[in-house]
Structures are given as structure tokens and as C-alpha cells.
Amino acid sequence: MSLRLLCTKQSLKSIKYSTVIPTVATTTLKLNQLRNFHDTPNKQNTTISNVIPQVPTPSTTTASIPTSSTTTKLPTTEYLKAFNNKELMSFFTIGLCTLNKPILQLCIKLFPYVPMFLIKALVYRIYCGGETIEEVQKTGLRLHERGINNMMISLTIEACDGNDNVDPNYIVAETARSIENILVPHTVKMINQAANVNDIPPGYVAIKPTGFAKDAASVLRNYNTTKKAEFEDLVEKASVVCQTIYESNLKLAKEYPERSAPFVVAVVDAEKYELQEGVYELQRRLYAKFNKMNAPVSIVGTLQMYLTGSAGLLAKEEELANKNGYRLGLKLVRGAYIHSEKNRSTVIHKTKQDTDNNYNTGISYCIDSIMKQQANESTIGHLVVASHNGDSLRLASNKVYTEENKLNKNKTNVVLGQLLGMADSVTYDLIENNKIGNVIKYVAWGPPLETKEYLLRRLEENGDAVKNDNGWPLVKASFWMLMNRMLGRA
């Protein structure tokens, strides 16, 4: 799957979930507890309470998430002012599609049969950055106008589960070209406009493992048995892209020696659970090759925190990094395959609350590891908090933007990300109300036919996203914004 900067909801119909996330202490996720969880027999059936210590009372907490009574109410219309009329019509359409579950399910069933020209006219523009490098460059500038100074770009072409109508060599070459022609010049432009070289988040490129090999699903499933040679070829292709990232960082570091964070970063995207062991091995190979000690990381891997084994995996990755002498870059997502994951009852947390606890504790631990250093010394060197959950994002920003961390250059090594076209009111709130600069958007791009599967996932996930951004609230907000513009009142 793509970076998936997603916030998903557990689809357990029998459970009513609270929207309140408990408070999380500054360092509740201790490494020895993570190791214990990793070693726990039958950990797939272990609940989060076995892994994470009891949450302290608010009076003893140093970094808390607002409760339902104190959470800032997100704006329902202000964020829409930044969008043009065509984009507002797209939001209006998405609102109609997500009015209720039956309508959403009908739209999902009909989506594969909708002509591409209609998809492009109605929804493509708000979820995708364009078909060409030139169009993505313009998207980056449009984001900058909204206070979003960088992005994670993803050439959304993949060859998975028998879909081999793509050329991995083309994907490698085009991804490398997008780094040189989109990410590097855009990041340099943003830095040159900033007051401080460390105020601008890095630019990211998503590496989708299923786009780097023929019959990619089989290669990832059997990476250490019958498909060893094919897996080595996949690693080599990913390394070509990462080498472009690594060399760009070395070059730019000479021009901007005061910068602590990397300038550009390659992010290995997550896949379905059954493919993840191959993806983890790919990530470790790339870490070892490109994430040198005492230097900014160039490679970020993805952990899906809705998986019951994710806390143990985080401990394992840190232990392997310490043992083998490289640094970790991590992107923590709740999880992107909730609608298609097999064996959900055994591999995913039983409740959304458990997932939320796991996610918030994970990002707290990573942020503490990064911010306790003033330079590139910590094993965990870079974190992308990939979430649409306003409470989790405020938790992360509250931990980073403290008086204690005012002069800490590592602030730019913690970045908050959301998908283009989703959670825009949350993004607006972070930038305008909380004055957070380290915010990016995930920008998928590529041929429309190839991005259709990506768009379908966005439609599915929109039914699970923040309610302010969907259904009737979005229909009303986009309609009245259009009416006000027609009447000259906006």
C-alpha cells in the first residue's frame, strides 16, 4: 500500500467506541516492556494492556491528550477557503458519497465501473497531485499557500497479486527522477524562504515494494525461500532510489551545514500483513546501507500500530539497529488495510481504543528518543506521525514544541502527515491554531488508470475518517462556501 498516512477505525460492529483517547505519559513505552511483549507466547491474542503500563492519572502526566471536554472544536468551514471552486465541488461529491453507510457501500461497489473521465472531473484533483512531474510541482506550491511546506510523493503504480501490467524498471527510473525534479528543488526553495534552515520538514518519496518487482506479492511472501533471487533484485531496485536520496542529502548538507534533519527521505510503505515479513527485511537492508550512525537518516520504514505485534516489533527494530550499527527512521500509522486484511481477529487489536493506546504510546516513545538528543545521536532518528486523528497529532506536537525543546534542532525530525484530500480541517487546525510547521501531505501521482485502485481505497477510508470531514457536515460546508463565493461574501 501507499505511505499511508491513514487513520482507520476498527470495524467491529458490536462495539461502541469513545472518541476520547486517554492521557499518555511521556515515557510509558519502555524498551524492556516492548521486549517482553515481543517474547510473549501467542502475542497475536494479547491485548494492549499486557504491553503498556497503566496510564497515569492526569495529575502525574506531562504530555496529555485533550479529553472530549477540552478538545478544540475543529473548524467546519475555514479550512475550505483555501480551495478553489472545482475542489469544493469535489468535496461536495465526497460528502454525498459518505452521507451514510449504505450510500458509501453503493458508491464503493459502483466505483470500478465509473468512467475515468468522470472520476477525474469529480474526485481526482483533491486526492492526487497530478499525472506528470510538472503537475506535482504545482501541487507542492499550492500546498505551500496553505502553510504546508513539504510533501510525500508517491508514484502510485504497483504490481501486486498478479497485476504485472507495469514495468518495475520504469517505476525505479521515474521515482528517482521525481526526487531530482520535485523533492530536491521544492525542499531547497522552501528552505531558502524560511527564517531558519531547520524550520522546513524534509521531502519524502514513498517506495512501494509491490511496484518494484514482477509478481511482487509472491516475492514478498517467499523472500527467504523460493524467491530469494527475485527478492535480491527488489532490494537492488529499491537501493537505486535510496542512493539518489542519500547522495542528495550529502550534497545539500554541504550547502546547509546547520540543518539537523535530512533534506529528502525515502519511505518504505507497508503492505498487507501476509507480505510484511518481506517488507521488514527490505527495510532493514536499506537501514543498514543508508542510515549511518551520527548522521541524518535517509530511510524510513513503516510500522502499522493496529497490529497486535507492533509494540514488540518496535522493540525488535531498535534492538537490531543498536546491534548492527545503524539508525532507525520510522513512520507510524494506525493501519491501512482494515477493509481487506485477512485474519483480522488474530492480527489486529480487538478494539479501536487498544489501537489508539498502542499508537499514542508508540509515538511518545519515539519522540522522547529523538528529542532527548540535540544532534543525530539517538538510535531512533526520525519519525513521521502519519495520522488523521487530531488528538494523536496534538499529543505529538505538544511533546515536540515545549519550552525545553525550544532550541532543539531535532524538532524537524518529527513530522506530522496526512493524506492529500483527507483530514484537511485537522491539518488546518495544526497550522493555523497550533502554529505547527512540521506538517506534510501525502501526494499520490501518476496515470489516472493506475491510480484508480488508490482512489477506491480513499473512498473506503473516507467513511472511517474524521466526521467533520465527511458526510452531511462536508456537504453543508462546501455548499455554503460555494454559495458565499457566488454572492460575493467569501
Side-chain angles (χ1 to χ4, degrees), residues 57-69:
T57 60
S59 61
T60 63
T61 302
T62 57
S64 62
I65 303 176
T67 63
S68 57
S69 61

Side-chain angles (χ1 to χ4, degrees), residues 275-290:
L275 308 181
Q276 273 303 114
E277 286 302 322
V279 176
Y280 297 146
E281 177 63 20
L282 171 63
Q283 291 177 176
R284 291 164 192 151
R285 298 278 197 94
L286 298 176
Y287 291 151
K289 189 172 183 179
F290 297 105

Side-chain angles (χ1 to χ4, degrees), residues 163-378:
N163 174 24
D164 281 339
N165 296 321
V166 297
D167 179 6
N169 291 318
Y170 168 79
I171 294 174
V172 170
E174 197 70 355
T175 302
R177 194 164 75 94
S178 71
I179 296 166
E180 296 170 337
N181 291 278
I182 300 175
L183 285 190
V184 170
H186 182 80
T187 301
V188 169
K189 185 172 184 176
M190 295 299 104
I191 287 175
N192 288 337
Q193 294 178 7
N196 188 298
V197 70
N198 286 302
D199 286 346
I200 301 300
Y204 301 83
V205 64
I207 294 178
K208 187 154 183 57
T210 49
F212 280 61
K214 293 283 188 180
D215 194 17
S218 178
V219 173
L220 291 170
R221 286 190 195 101
N222 305 289
Y223 74 96
N224 60 350
T225 54
T226 58
K227 296 289 185 177
K228 286 184 178 180
E230 291 85 350
F231 181 74
E232 293 300 327
D233 185 63
L234 187 157
V235 173
E236 182 59 33
K237 284 182 169 60
S239 296
V240 170
V241 174
C242 294
Q243 187 68 36
T244 303
I245 289 283
Y246 184 71
E247 291 176 356
S248 297
N249 280 324
L250 291 178
K251 179 181 178 181
L252 290 172
K254 294 178 181 178
E255 298 179 32
Y256 304 92
E258 291 301 310
R259 185 168 171 91
S260 178
F263 298 85
V264 286
V265 178
V267 180
V268 181
D269 269 343
E271 299 292 343
K272 297 176 183 178
Y273 177 79
E274 62 176 337
L275 308 181
Q276 273 303 114
E277 286 302 322
V279 176
Y280 297 146
E281 177 63 20
L282 171 63
Q283 291 177 176
R284 291 164 192 151
R285 298 278 197 94
L286 298 176
Y287 291 151
K289 189 172 183 179
F290 297 105
N291 285 357
K292 308 297 184 182
M293 298 298 294
N294 301 310
V297 303
S298 290
I299 311 302
V300 161
T302 302
L303 298 186
Q304 301 183 91
M305 302 305 285
Y306 71 176
L307 297 177
T308 54
S310 56
L313 180 62
L314 175 54
K316 179 180 179 179
E317 295 299 342
E318 186 172 21
E319 192 171 15
L320 287 173
N322 285 323
K323 178 181 177 180
N324 296 303
Y326 58 79
R327 303 188 76 207
L328 282 180
L330 295 170
K331 172 167 66 76
L332 298 193
V333 300
R334 275 175 168 77
Y337 288 99
I338 188 69
H339 295 280
S340 58
E341 197 71 83
K342 299 176 182 178
N343 304 318
R344 281 184 287 178
S345 61
T346 58
V347 302
I348 295 176
H349 286 300
K350 302 298 183 185
T351 69
K352 182 179 183 295
Q353 187 66 68
D354 286 347
T355 299
D356 287 341
N357 289 349
N358 195 43
Y359 187 86
N360 292 325
T361 308
I363 63 174
S364 294
Y365 179 75
C366 292
I367 291 171
D368 289 340
S369 297
I370 293 169
M371 299 306 296
K372 71 182 179 183
Q373 304 292 342
Q374 293 289 329
N376 291 294
E377 303 166 6
S378 58

Side-chain angles (χ1 to χ4, degrees), residues 149-170:
N149 293 320
N150 227 323
M151 52 189 169
M152 183 182 295
I153 58 175
S154 173
L155 179 60
T156 311
I157 303 175
E158 54 190 286
C160 189
D161 292 324
N163 174 24
D164 281 339
N165 296 321
V166 297
D167 179 6
N169 291 318
Y170 168 79

